[in-house]
């Protein structure tokens, strides 16, 4: 900021001069002033240095996986393409041969649904086969997108991260459990289960399968251990973790060391303070809220209680 | 020639050749990634947002009336997507000392001091990485102009089109940002990095 009054009208043009952006008549006028003014000459020299170094920063190289990730999404069928496929389905060869038995099975399942022992458990298409499946879009494993038709080849191991985005759901065999991963969920596979950072999972563990493993879900607020059961964990970082039992029993251990065992139909909220708030025995209809935010840190994890009924 | 190439690629994509879209990604990915990264200042986020930018371009490609405008359109989408992200998270920071008039006055006095280092010796201390740090501390509107102008090499007219601003505003922001960077660098040269 030169103080001489004659420098004031020139100030805004000095950076243009340094850049070579001034038109000839104006450039000559400013250069004439600069050659006679040591302060403005010094400023032009500094501007030239700044500009040269800014240009030398150069563009960033885009990560190699960018193109692959975008193209994987580009190749997903659009809504219009899905509608066209649906509308033309009845005209495809063999449609009736497949459709009639399928509709019959679906109608039978609907009719028998109230007689089922637990109709709240969301069905995943591959509980029995133990093959990973996902639908609604790409599944991100270690941030690498996997298209829905690539099922059965994930090979998840400890330390792998799994992420679902909007509308993407997955059913994944992890350790001794079949885990339903709901949209907008982030989790990491651990040595003995899952660490959920945010979102919602439903864990199914087959009690009839002999196993000595304990399956643990670690959330920002709690450790939830199975005692032979099907349960759901929802993590809303910074707010609470909610655990809910569909079948059997689970044990919830908060980061504050509070231990709570619960049976089918119960749910609890585990607060960041470590407190556990037991809920009513019946699950309210609005219990399936969405979750937001980033992961918290588990500060302490207590040891599981020995000899609890059904513990493996 | 470039415009024709882009026009051919766009025509192919709109005719159903999705693979052709990869040409556009490869051509513009560094420019988009650079702008987004400079605005959000986090590589992982920049990668996610750059992906989002290209998906938006793919989905809205049929809305583009003039294939010759695709470059500025892509950069517009990149700019808007980054600003939306910053607004949602309210993470942008401002370096208060950059706009401190008293500091600027001290700097001028320092320059006038016969014992102070010469402009040449101050320039010699500069480096692209140190400049990069200073740019990342600028207010987002100055950061954007500096990135587009000096790091990506766009003309003032192109920047005005991308940012949908009058040419005079773009030029003023460029000048003001250079002034801030220059003054801050002189302060560092005098006081050491703080």
């Amino acid at each position: 900021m030169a103080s001489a009054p004659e420098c004031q009208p020139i100030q805004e043009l000095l950076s243009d001069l340094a850049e070579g952006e001034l038109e000839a008549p104006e450039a000559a006028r400013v250069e004439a002033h600069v050659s006679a003014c040591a302060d403005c000459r010094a400023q032009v020299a500094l501007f030239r240095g700044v500009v040269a170094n800014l240009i030398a920063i150069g563009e960033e190289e885009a990560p190699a996986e960018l193109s692959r990730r975008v193209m994987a999404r580009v190749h997903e069928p659009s809504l219009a393409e899905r509608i066209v496929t649906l509308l033309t389905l009845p005209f495809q060869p063999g449609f009736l041969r497949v459709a009639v038995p399928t509709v019959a099975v679906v109608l039978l399942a609907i009719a028998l649904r109230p007689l089922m022992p637990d109709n709240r458990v969301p069905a995943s298409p591959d509980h029995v086969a133990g093959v990973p499946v996902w639908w609604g879009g790409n599944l991100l494993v270690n941030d690498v997108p996997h298209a829905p038709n690539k099922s059965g080849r994930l090979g998840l191991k400890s330390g792998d991260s799994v992420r679902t985005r909007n509308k993407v759901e997955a059913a994944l065999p992890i350790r001794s459990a079949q885990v339903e991963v709901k949209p907008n969920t982030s989790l990491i596979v651990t040595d003995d289960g899952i660490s959920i950072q945010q979102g919602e999972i439903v864990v199914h563990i087959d009690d009839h399968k002999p196993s000595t493993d304990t399956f643990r879900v670690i959330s920002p607020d709690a450790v939830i251990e199975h005692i032979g059961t099907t349960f759901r964990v929802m993590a809303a970082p910074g707010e609470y973790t909610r655990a809910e039992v569909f079948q059997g029993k689970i044990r919830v251990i908060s980061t504050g060391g509070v231990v709570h065992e619960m049976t089918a139909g119960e749910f609890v909220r585990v607060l960041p303070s470590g407190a556990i708030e037991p809920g009513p025995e019946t699950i309210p209809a609005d219990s399936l809220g969405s979750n937001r935010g980033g992961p918290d840190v588990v500060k302490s994890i207590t040891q599981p209680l020995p000899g609890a009924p059904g513990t493996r | 020639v470039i415009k024709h190439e882009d026009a051919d690629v766009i025509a192919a994509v709109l005719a159903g050749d999705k693979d052709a879209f990869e040409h556009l990604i490869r051509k513009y990915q560094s420019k988009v990634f650079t702008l987004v990264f400079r605005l959000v200042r986090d590589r992982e986020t920049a990668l996610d947002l750059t992906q989002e930018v290209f998906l938006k371009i793919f989905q809205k490609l049929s809305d583009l009336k003039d294939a010759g405008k695709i470059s500025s359109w892509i950069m517009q989408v990149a700019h808007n997507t980054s600003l939306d992200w910053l607004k949602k998270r309210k993470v942008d920071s401002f370096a208060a000392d950059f706009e401190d008039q008293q500091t600027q006055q001290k700097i001028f006095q320092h320059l006038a001091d016969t014992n102070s280092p010469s402009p040449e010796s101050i320039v010699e201390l500069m480096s692209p990485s140190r400049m990069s740090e200073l740019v990342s501390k600028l207010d987002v509107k100055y950061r954007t102009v500096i990135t587009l102008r000096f790091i990506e090499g766009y003309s003032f007219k192109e920047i005005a089109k991308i940012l949908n601003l009058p040419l005079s505003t773009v030029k003023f922001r460029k000048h003001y940002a250079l002034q801030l960077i220059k003054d801050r660098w002189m302060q560092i040269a005098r006081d050491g990095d703080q």
Side-chain angles (χ1 to χ4, degrees):
Chain A
M1 307 281 110
S3 58
E6 65 271 21
C7 297
Q8 293 301 332
I10 302 293
Q11 283 299 299
E12 281 200 22
L13 302 174
L14 294 181
S15 67
D16 289 341
L17 182 71
E19 260 198 90
E21 273 294 314
L22 288 181
E23 299 286 336
E26 200 160 36
R29 182 172 65 87
V30 177
E31 270 170 1
H33 170 84
V34 166
S35 63
C37 176
D39 289 341
C40 288
R41 204 162 49 245
Q43 293 213 46
V44 171
L46 289 166
F47 275 132
R48 286 199 173 120
V50 169
V51 167
N53 279 280
L54 287 175
I55 291 170
I57 292 173
E59 288 181 5
E60 301 289 325
E61 199 173 322
E65 75 250 44
L66 173 68
S67 170
R68 192 164 32 85
R69 278 172 60 165
V70 177
M71 289 311 291
R73 295 283 302 276
V74 160
H75 279 293
E76 285 174 11
S78 66
L79 183 63
E81 286 167 331
R82 284 178 197 169
I83 291 169
V84 168
T85 307
L86 263 175
L87 292 176
T88 56
L89 204 56
F91 305 106
Q92 301 294 320
F95 172 76
L96 288 178
R97 187 160 42 85
V98 177
V100 170
T102 306
V103 169
V105 168
V106 170
L107 288 175
L108 188 66
I110 291 169
L112 293 176
R113 198 163 177 244
L115 305 176
M116 297 292 184
D118 183 1
N119 59 15
R120 282 191 307 269
V121 181
S124 80
D126 224 337
H127 281 178
V128 180
V131 174
V133 288
W134 57 100
W135 54 96
N138 288 342
L139 183 73
L140 293 169
V141 177
N142 297 325
D143 284 331
V144 176
H146 292 256
N149 59 352
K150 299 274 171 59
S151 63
R153 275 176 271 165
L154 284 181
L156 290 176
K157 57 191 183 304
S158 185
D160 284 344
S161 71
V162 175
R163 200 146 55 103
T164 56
R165 291 193 167 154
N166 238 353
K167 297 176 188 167
V168 181
E169 291 190 50
L172 308 173
I174 296 177
R175 309 285 171 220
S176 53
Q178 185 76 12
V179 180
E180 286 185 36
V181 186
K182 301 296 182 185
N184 298 314
T185 296
S186 299
L187 61 86
I188 293 170
V189 179
T190 61
D191 286 336
D192 56 4
I194 286 168
S195 170
I196 176 172
Q197 271 96 51
Q198 71 168 48
E200 179 183 345
I201 55 173
V202 178
V203 181
H204 305 265
I205 295 164
D206 186 354
D207 275 337
H208 304 294
K209 226 185 223 176
S211 170
T212 54
D213 295 340
T214 297
F215 192 91
R216 286 191 183 89
V217 176
I218 301 173
S219 83
D221 309 302
V223 178
I224 296 113
E225 294 181 344
H226 88 281
I227 316 176
T229 187
T230 296
F231 61 98
R232 167 161 46 203
V233 178
M234 295 159 71
E239 294 175 40
Y240 61 86
T241 290
R242 180 193 159 108
E244 181 176 336
V245 189
F246 296 118
Q247 290 176 343
K249 263 187 170 183
I250 62 167
R251 181 189 299 124
V252 178
I253 306 156
S254 80
T255 52
V258 181
V259 180
H260 181 78
E261 286 194 8
M262 35 194 289
T263 52
E266 275 187 284
F267 76 85
V268 292
R269 279 177 173 218
V270 186
L271 305 178
S273 64
I276 297 180
E277 292 180 347
E281 290 196 354
T282 52
I283 295 162
D286 64 349
S287 66
L288 300 175
S290 62
N291 305 308
R292 302 175 310 281
D296 287 341
V297 176
V298 177
K299 288 174 188 149
S300 64
I301 298 169
T302 57
Q303 292 299 312
L305 292 177
T311 306
R312 291 173 218 178
Chain B
V1 176
I2 291 168
K3 282 181 182 176
H4 283 142
E5 278 178 4
D6 282 348
D8 293 343
V9 171
I10 292 164
V13 175
L14 293 178
D17 179 6
K18 290 181 176 179
D19 287 331
F21 190 68
E22 198 165 356
H23 293 288
L24 287 181
I25 300 171
R26 293 201 181 279
K27 183 170 175 182
Y28 293 106
Q29 61 181 358
S30 291
K31 290 223 175 291
V32 172
F33 183 76
T34 299
L35 179 62
V36 174
F37 172 64
R38 287 277 153 198
L39 297 193
V40 303
R41 297 177 291 199
D42 177 76
R43 291 195 85 80
E44 283 300 307
T45 306
L47 176 59
D48 283 349
L49 292 180
T50 304
Q51 177 179 331
E52 195 181 319
V53 168
F54 280 108
L55 287 173
K56 283 178 185 171
I57 296 295
F58 177 75
Q59 285 154 4
K60 301 279 180 189
L61 200 57
S62 58
D63 295 350
L64 183 67
K65 301 281 185 292
D66 178 358
K69 291 183 178 164
I70 187 153
S71 169
S72 55
W73 181 50
I74 289 174
M75 297 306 280
Q76 257 174 12
V77 174
H79 178 240
N80 292 339
T81 303
S82 306
L83 286 194
D84 286 347
W85 187 88
L86 288 171
K87 272 181 207 160
K88 271 184 206 160
R89 279 148 192 86
K90 297 177 183 164
V91 294
D92 207 30
S93 61
F94 298 83
D97 61 335
F98 262 49
E99 298 177 29
D100 181 344
Q101 293 299 317
Q102 281 185 336
T103 304
Q104 292 186 1
Q105 190 58 37
K106 274 188 213 162
I107 288 164
F108 174 67
Q109 282 165 0
H110 168 66
L111 191 63
D113 183 349
T114 50
N115 294 324
S116 64
S118 67
E120 289 75 19
S121 63
I122 294 176
V123 168
E124 268 180 32
L125 294 172
M126 293 177 183
S127 70
S129 62
R130 303 298 297 276
M131 284 300 124
S132 177
E133 282 174 35
L134 293 185
V135 171
S136 72
K137 289 175 182 165
L138 288 172
D139 180 302
V140 67
K141 61 178 179 280
Y142 301 119
R143 212 153 74 221
T144 307
V145 171
I146 290 292
T147 300
L148 289 170
R149 175 67 184 149
F150 299 109
I151 301 175
E152 308 213 87
Y154 283 98
S155 71
F156 288 117
K157 274 187 186 170
E158 287 170 319
I159 297 170
K161 210 183 289 176
I162 291 167
L163 302 182
N164 196 23
L165 286 172
L167 194 60
S168 57
T169 305
V170 172
K171 285 190 170 183
F172 173 78
R173 285 186 184 178
K174 183 270 307 183
H175 168 74
Y176 191 67
L178 285 182
Q179 187 84 41
L180 292 174
I181 294 171
K182 173 180 72 69
D183 291 350
R184 177 64 179 143
W185 184 255
M186 287 174 65
Q187 190 185 15
I188 289 169
R190 184 191 60 186
D191 300 338
D193 208 349
Q194 291 159 6

